[in-house]
Amino acid sequence: MSARSILSGFLGIMVGTTCLAQSVGSRSAEPQKGAARQAQTTAHVLWANRVVGVSSEKKLDSNGEQYKASQALGKPNKLPQLGESPAAWSPRGSDGSEDEWIHVGFEKPITIRQIIVGENVNPGAVVQVLVIDQKGKEHQVYKIEKSSPRQEPLLKILVADSALIADQVKVVINGSVIPGPNQIDAIGISDETKSVTAGINVSKDTPKEIVKENLGKTVNSTGQEVAPVISPDGRTLYFTRNFNKANIGSADHQDVWYSTYESGSSGNPAGWSEAVNVGPPINNGGDNAISGLSPDGRTAYLINIYRPDGGLTFGISKSTKTRQGWSQPVECKIADNYNLHEKHQLEFCVSPDGKSIILAVQRKDTQGNRDLYVAHQLPDKTWAAPVSLGPVVNTSDFESSPFLAADGRTLYFTSGGHPGYGNGDIFVTRRLDDSWTNWSEPENLGPAINTPEWDGYFTIPASGDYAYLSSRAGSMGEDDIFRLKLYPAIKPDPVAIISGQVLDSKSKKPVASEVISNLADDNKETAKVDYDPETGEYKLILPTQKVYTLKAIKDGYFPATETIDLSKDKRFRDIKRNLLMVKIEAGQKITMRDVLFEQSQFTLLPGANAELDRIVAMLTQYPEMEIMIEGHTDNQGDWEPNMKLSADRVQAVKEYLIGKGITENRIQTKAWGPSKPIASNETEDKRKLNRRVEFTILKL
């Protein structure tokens, strides 16, 4: 199995309308694909959105919508490029025949002043166009006695009858006089006579020139380097190398290699180190590739399932990096996981939170060669059956090499079914909600990135500054790894990398624990990692412009919590934050940072419940435990009111615990007012630290 996918002019005619007596067959509407099509037009165009009837369709053995009449719906999928495409309608005959036709409908009736027919293969085969009005009457608006080849792919018919209102069009082609197949990419109508052009939906403000920098001989060779995967911190680049004698097994089997970015020192410039074969157990005698990494870079997701006998089968595995090296890959079990692709080709990526896998595979409901699907992780750590990302992303041609950016919503992928510049272009789309089926219209990354050949394997570190990709143009031999500086229109949303250690508050020694982030406003979990002191730091990736609660959990310790306020951050941030855990034992004092009150009031603020509930859980787990709750204020205002305020606040906390079933005799209280500050009261930020509630374990 390879890691790589193999992969405008104007004709205006003014005619009158005549009535034809020919009857037109009908059939039920085909599946809609209009949302996924792209074109840039100067006149407003209504593109066909349903099939009324068709003379014939090219048939394939496999499932899918390739070549069907439904592929003439919506904006062009192939144009302005010419050439055969499964994303356009093809009659059954491979070399054309007389009187093939397609009858389509539109969203609503309009006054038709122009009809547009896009022919992406052998343009010139259209011999007749009919408009069917709301009473079912046919009006001939275009007819020629003999079809002939032309250069222009768009046939644009200007309709003289300004009173013709309709929502159906029938197009007749005669391909027998033009050698080769015939295809229709799109059919549109307009109430304007202005020119229409088929274009490519290029990302906004795309620079005319983008420098693609070859990473050089430390990474690339005369062989093939493809499928780069950059670690979130941007320091380690994994890629797949083929045609290299140093590969395990044989030179024509691909292995995983890696290079690290060295910042440089006096006399040694910054750059990528000499690539190293990652070795076994990730590499063996078969074809190996890394397709994703966890935020901390210590879990690698791999193509194939590694069998005990050393063989490989279709699927996905993962390996964990320890001090001893990479672990033996274990299967990521995905329900109903199969691939009908003739080469069983698999490409995938894993979401930053590790809960979703996007796969490029061919399944029974695939539109074409391969589509993009998502599989979500279940509570038992297996994965649900893959679900299609839907027709906005997927076409009846291939979609491949997906990469989901660190923001969890910006998806880059390669497609042959959206208008582009080559055999496969890179596009970007953004997830619009939590459904994973609602995406923005894909945008082409432009001709400075996409070449006439196949381009793909876009990968971006969390900083969002550079992108890495595979390309053959300008390579040292076969495909090479390049990088380019991202421009704003195609950048993912900014994120922050939160990293650090989890430490015992007394000994300051690392504590193996689970680290979870939640949105502060609704307590929704956003990420979870396991912190292992042996491997260094925990790392989480969090989108900016939100407030999070960070929590470390370990049996025998009170959960440590920190608030991470990224609400005002609009750029990438790298934040170091150690979490101090308090061991559950007599004499320990714990500050409840999230137990907050209204200013000068003793009403608990939203968010306090979560921390108080953790105390309830601890008291429930240790039924003999007794605690002392202590309340503190800042020094603003008079002494006596502050003392009373702190007493009221600890009483509010006590009543909350009692309300949750904790007996009163297990809870003592003490109000200190402003008498025990832990910070100066010079600024509001420091005064906030003094306004706190603490509890001390008196008995365990």
Side-chain angles (χ1 to χ4, degrees), residues 25-36:
S26 63
R27 57 185 267 178
S28 60
E30 298 285 349
Q32 304 301 300
K33 287 192 50 81

Side-chain angles (χ1 to χ4, degrees), residues 658-669:
I658 292 173
K660 292 290 185 175
I662 305 302
T663 56
E664 184 175 2
N665 63 355
R666 298 175 63 191
I667 307 168
Q668 299 181 33
T669 61

Side-chain angles (χ1 to χ4, degrees), residues 501-504 507-513 531-534 536 557 579:
Q501 293 181 299
V502 182
L503 306 173
D504 184 286
S507 69
K508 299 300 187 290
K509 292 182 178 180
V511 179
S513 59
Y531 168 65
D532 183 352
E534 185 180 281
Y557 286 82
L579 302 175

Side-chain angles (χ1 to χ4, degrees), residues 350-477:
V350 180
S351 63
D353 63 7
K355 295 180 179 179
S356 302
I357 298 176
I358 296 178
L359 309 95
V361 290
Q362 185 174 2
R363 293 172 62 85
K364 294 176 182 178
D365 62 343
T366 295
Q367 295 291 311
N369 180 292
R370 282 184 295 164
D371 279 0
L372 299 186
Y373 292 79
V374 62
H376 298 298
Q377 193 174 54
L378 300 171
D380 64 359
K381 303 302 181 181
T382 64
W383 305 79
V387 176
S388 172
L389 296 192
V392 172
V393 171
N394 292 318
T395 70
S396 65
D397 210 327
F398 70 85
E399 276 69 46
S400 62
S401 66
F403 172 75
L404 189 66
D407 63 3
R409 64 180 292 268
T410 305
L411 175 67
Y412 304 85
F413 66 99
T414 296
S415 175
H418 299 283
Y421 299 93
N423 297 331
D425 279 15
I426 303 173
F427 294 82
V428 61
T429 180
R430 291 172 173 83
R431 190 158 57 99
L432 301 177
D433 55 29
D434 292 335
S435 70
W436 292 84
T437 57
N438 187 15
W439 298 86
S440 66
E441 188 175 19
E443 298 174 352
N444 191 294
L445 299 194
I449 294 177
N450 289 314
T451 71
E453 302 299 326
W454 186 95
D455 296 285
Y457 297 120
F458 220 61
T459 179
I460 303 172
S463 61
D465 50 1
Y466 284 93
Y468 299 80
L469 72 159
S470 300
S471 183
R472 184 163 295 185
S475 71
M476 298 168 58

